[in-house]
Amino acid sequence: MATTRKKASAEKITLVPLTDLYERADHPIKMRDDDSMQETIESVKRSGILTPGTVRPRAEGGYEIIAGRRRKLACEAAGLDAMPVIIKNLDDEQAIIEMVDSGIQREEVLPSEKAAAYKMKLEAIKRQGARTDLTSRQDGGKSEEGKKKEAADVIGAAGGDSGRTVQRYIRLTELIPELLKTVDNGAMGITPAEQISYLKPEEQAMLVMTMDYEQASPSVSQAKRMREMSEAGTNSPRRRPVVSSR
């Protein structure tokens, strides 16, 4: 009972003016004025905020939103001037981890956003002094496989993704913007995109032109072959890569 009271006290709900709530400029997940956002607005208009947001104090005054950006926007749309929040004293790394864990659970998160979020969380964990070998576990990893898998699993836990899936997403951050867009719009799958991410930027740019010309995207086997050729130094900048026809 004492533990429960202590937790409740630590998570005291405070009503904070909306003008004192600030978003992170580098938040990896964008807000969209979609059906889900409109549903949130209508819910707030009917019932107010049922779940408080999470914030932390800013050195320059006010509070940084850790979880609750959409709720703040809904409050503004509903004509409210304050929002209930739980104020936590989090350092930068703790704030990033909690922010990512909160945002990654949304169904409409794009692959590029999830990739940036997982990478952001990984870097925060590294700065905390946790294991730094997550990104070193690629196909054919040899040493301490179990421990590496555990590190990846921890990062993906909040979003329900396996450690292997987390690694695939993080690799997407190595794609040039044009290719990353093809993953977001479903033209290329995450598995071949992971292989393509190992290509040099100029090789990726050539692939973009080929995909546009052929109106096709590479299969997993073709993507693996491109990666092998790139790593062997046998790719020709003038030779168009082969991709599957639709």
Side-chain angles (χ1 to χ4, degrees), residues 41-213:
I41 292 173
E42 291 304 316
S43 174
V44 171
K45 287 180 178 179
R46 290 193 308 268
S47 309
I49 298 294
L50 302 179
T51 303
T54 302
V55 302
R56 69 166 180 159
R58 301 195 322 156
E60 55 270 60
Y63 301 90
E64 176 185 290
I65 300 173
I66 305 301
R69 296 181 305 154
R70 289 158 58 88
R71 278 163 280 178
K72 179 197 174 188
L73 185 61
C75 284
E76 293 172 341
L80 303 178
D81 58 10
M83 186 174 91
V85 299
I86 294 171
I87 301 171
K88 293 186 177 182
N89 292 309
L90 305 174
D91 62 26
D92 291 342
E93 285 68 42
Q94 291 170 331
I96 287 173
I97 292 169
E98 190 159 331
M99 176 192 71
V100 169
D101 286 350
S102 171
I104 210 71
Q105 299 178 48
R106 285 168 47 191
E107 294 180 0
E108 66 272 21
V109 176
L110 295 173
S112 62
E113 295 173 335
K114 185 175 280 193
Y118 279 153
K119 184 176 181 180
M120 197 173 186
K121 183 176 178 179
L122 169 64
E123 291 172 347
I125 291 175
K126 284 182 176 181
R127 289 193 296 272
Q128 285 183 325
R131 296 193 61 83
T132 60
D133 55 9
L134 170 60
T135 53
S136 69
R137 181 174 71 88
Q138 302 300 339
D139 295 334
K142 297 179 180 179
S143 63
E144 298 185 342
E145 192 68 17
K147 292 181 180 179
K148 294 174 184 177
K149 182 179 185 300
E150 182 181 1
D153 288 340
V154 167
I155 288 178
D161 286 323
S162 68
R164 192 67 190 90
T165 299
V166 167
Q167 288 196 326
R168 288 196 173 101
Y169 275 114
I170 291 177
R171 281 302 314 178
L172 297 185
T173 62
E174 301 298 327
L175 293 173
I176 62 174
E178 294 85 353
L179 284 178
L180 194 53
K181 288 179 182 178
T182 69
V183 181
D184 278 345
N185 63 27
M188 181 162 60
I190 293 176
T191 302
E194 176 195 16
Q195 300 297 322
I196 296 301
S197 73
Y198 289 93
L199 271 59
K200 301 177 182 65
E202 58 270 23
E203 294 169 341
Q204 293 187 32
M206 176 62 75
L207 177 58
V208 171
M209 291 190 290
T210 301
M211 290 173 63
D212 183 62
Y213 179 80

Side-chain angles (χ1 to χ4, degrees), residues 3-50:
T3 302
T4 302
R5 285 198 298 268
K6 183 177 180 181
K7 182 177 180 181
S9 176
E11 296 188 346
K12 178 182 177 181
I13 297 174
T14 304
L15 197 62
V16 173
L18 299 182
T19 52
D20 287 344
L21 300 177
Y22 299 86
E23 299 178 27
R24 288 184 65 104
D26 61 348
H27 200 296
I29 301 173
K30 308 305 179 186
M31 288 199 297
R32 287 176 278 279
D33 186 14
D34 52 15
D35 291 343
S36 178
M37 185 69 247
Q38 291 305 313
E39 289 175 4
T40 300
I41 292 173
E42 291 304 316
S43 174
V44 171
K45 287 180 178 179
R46 290 193 308 268
S47 309
I49 298 294
L50 302 179

